[in-house]
């Protein structure tokens, strides 16, 4: 079949007398990855991947098929027999139609002999493996929110392991719901004075591009532990939401910014690296939010650089 080539090069000049100057000497170019699409890119859609779909699953070690406990998705589920701890894993490879941010739900059947710390490992689009534990003694027979992550059709993998688990581990199914067109998105900008609350001194700036609206505010890299910036979006309905934050990036920013998200399950804190990801909506996760005034707070406690507060966005899971 025909072949195509892509050349990524530092080569400059060499034609029409346009020769490169000495400033290019000893320069290097680093390439992380290259992506190529064929035809028209597909839109993302909700995907369910079940243990019984052999083309999308792989068992490592012995997993036993069962229908003894109700509430499973599809025809059955599998379990590890509560044996061989650390030697068994069940891998799901969902057939995603497009890269997107996904709300990730798991399903299992519950019983008192189940593990309260069943490990789940999810391989995201940024090449990182994200690990979680779930209590399979409760929440059986329903889709349970695990997290929200960017996933890619090329690399998406969800693994149920049994290392260090304290009971039977169930592998049944996962449901992946994309953010898609972000319908119903609610954005709060730092300049919306009725929807934000600043504690301590925050300085307005538009020096670094990539901000939402007319600018952003920063903590001046001072007063650590005394300054916070709260965004208060009006949440129309209690349900699960994608939560995003936006900032401008620079090497002088903090790489360890704590962001508190008040959910119906309590306050969840995530850490953002503001040295990268500037000028875009960065997914903080998927969380159950209550109806009414929500709360997403950027703090500067223990941070190692300037902390930026620009804007937040919440998007209901479709």
């Amino acid at each position: 079949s025909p072949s195509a080539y892509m050349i990524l090069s530092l080569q400059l000049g060499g034609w029409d007398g346009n020769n490169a100057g000495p400033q290019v000497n000893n320069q290097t170019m680093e390439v992380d990855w290259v992506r190529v699409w064929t035809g028209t890119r597909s839109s993302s859609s909700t995907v369910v991947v079940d243990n019984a779909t052999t083309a999308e699953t792989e068992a490592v070690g012995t997993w036993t098929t069962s229908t003894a406990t109700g509430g499973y998705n599809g025809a059955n589920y599998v379990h590890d027999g509560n044996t061989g701890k650390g030697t068994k894993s069940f891998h799901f490879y969902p057939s995603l139609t497009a890269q997107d941010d996904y709300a990730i739900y798991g399903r299992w059947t519950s019983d008192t002999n189940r593990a309260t710390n069943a490990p789940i490992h999810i391989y995201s689009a940024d090449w990182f493996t994200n690990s979680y534990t779930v209590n399979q003694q409760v929440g059986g027979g329903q889709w349970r929110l695990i997290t929200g992550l960017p996933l890619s059709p090329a690399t998406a993998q969800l693994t149920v392991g049994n290392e260090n688990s304290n009971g039977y581990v169930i592998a049944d199914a996962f449901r992946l719901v994309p953010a898609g067109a972000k319908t119903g998105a609610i954005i709060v900008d730092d300049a919306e004075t009725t929807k934000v609350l600043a504690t301590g001194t925050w300085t307005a700036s538009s020096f670094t591009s990539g901000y939402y609206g007319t600018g952003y505010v920063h903590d001046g890299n001072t007063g650590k532990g005394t300054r916070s910036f709260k965004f208060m979006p009006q949440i129309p309905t209690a349900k699960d939401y994608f939560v995003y934050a936006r900032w401008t990036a620079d090497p002088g920013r903090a790489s360890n910014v704590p962001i508190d998200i008040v959910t119906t399950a309590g306050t969840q804190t995530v850490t953002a690296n503001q040295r990268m990801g500037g000028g875009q909506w960065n997914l903080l996760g998927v969380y159950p939010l209550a109806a009414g005034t929500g709360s997403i707070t950027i703090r500067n406690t223990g941070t190692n650089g300037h902390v930026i507060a620009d804007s937040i966005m919440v998007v209901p899971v479709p």
Side-chain angles (χ1 to χ4, degrees):
S1 60
S3 298
Y5 300 92
M6 290 179 292
I7 300 176
L8 289 79
S9 173
L10 275 177
Q11 181 177 346
L12 296 171
W15 57 273
D16 196 26
N18 181 24
N19 293 318
Q23 70 271 15
V24 300
N25 294 341
N26 301 316
Q27 298 300 303
T28 61
M29 177 176 66
E30 297 181 357
V31 178
D32 185 6
W33 53 272
V34 175
R35 173 174 293 156
V36 178
W37 288 273
T38 178
T40 302
R41 293 183 63 187
S42 300
S43 59
S44 55
S45 59
T46 297
V47 170
V48 173
V49 56
D50 186 77
N51 71 280
T53 308
T54 55
E56 297 180 344
T57 59
E58 178 187 14
V60 175
T62 301
W63 290 79
T64 303
T65 302
S66 179
T67 57
T69 305
Y72 48 84
N73 180 76
N76 52 50
Y77 59 92
V78 296
H79 63 78
D80 73 336
N82 200 20
T83 61
K85 297 302 184 181
T87 68
K88 301 181 182 183
S89 57
F90 200 90
H91 303 261
F92 295 81
Y93 303 96
S95 298
L96 303 180
T97 57
Q99 181 168 322
D100 204 341
D101 297 330
Y102 288 84
I104 301 170
Y105 297 84
R107 193 176 181 115
W108 53 84
T109 62
S110 290
D111 195 273
T112 55
N113 65 0
R114 305 294 195 245
T116 62
N117 58 347
I120 295 176
H121 311 289
I122 304 173
Y123 199 63
S124 61
D126 56 11
W127 306 95
F128 288 102
T129 300
N130 304 266
S131 298
Y132 310 87
T133 58
V134 296
N135 181 359
Q136 294 189 333
Q137 291 189 6
V138 298
Q142 55 189 292
W143 295 110
R144 304 288 293 189
L145 177 63
I146 298 173
T147 190
L149 289 171
L151 299 179
S152 165
T155 62
Q157 178 183 162
L158 303 95
T159 299
V160 178
N162 77 340
E163 65 273 14
N164 303 314
S165 52
N166 56 10
Y168 282 80
V169 174
I170 308 300
D172 181 15
F174 289 95
R175 182 172 182 257
L176 314 176
V177 185
K182 297 181 174 60
T183 302
I186 302 167
I187 298 175
V188 178
D189 184 65
D190 67 283
E192 297 183 63
T193 56
T194 61
K195 297 180 180 179
V196 300
L197 177 63
T199 300
T201 300
W202 291 81
T203 302
S205 178
S206 58
F207 183 80
T208 304
S209 62
Y211 48 81
Y212 182 87
T214 59
Y216 57 91
V217 296
H218 63 82
D219 72 337
N221 199 21
T222 60
K224 298 302 185 182
T226 67
R227 302 180 184 183
S228 62
F229 201 91
K230 179 186 291 187
F231 296 87
M232 297 175 287
Q234 290 297 308
I235 307 300
T237 306
K239 62 178 302 182
D240 297 335
Y241 288 82
F242 294 90
V243 178
Y244 297 85
R246 189 175 181 123
W247 52 79
T248 62
D250 184 87
R253 306 291 193 245
S255 64
N256 57 349
V257 179
I259 302 178
D260 300 329
I261 304 165
V262 176
T263 78
T264 57
T267 299
Q268 306 292 319
T269 300
V270 298
T271 301
N273 181 359
Q274 294 189 337
R275 295 175 183 173
M276 56 191 302
Q280 64 186 38
W281 291 111
N282 296 280
L283 179 65
L284 303 180
V286 176
Y287 303 95
L289 303 182
T293 302
S295 174
I296 300 165
T297 302
I298 296 174
R299 294 184 286 114
N300 75 342
T301 304
T303 50
N304 55 9
H306 282 76
V307 174
I308 306 301
D310 179 13
S311 53
I312 61 93
M313 176 172 65
V314 296
V315 179
V317 174

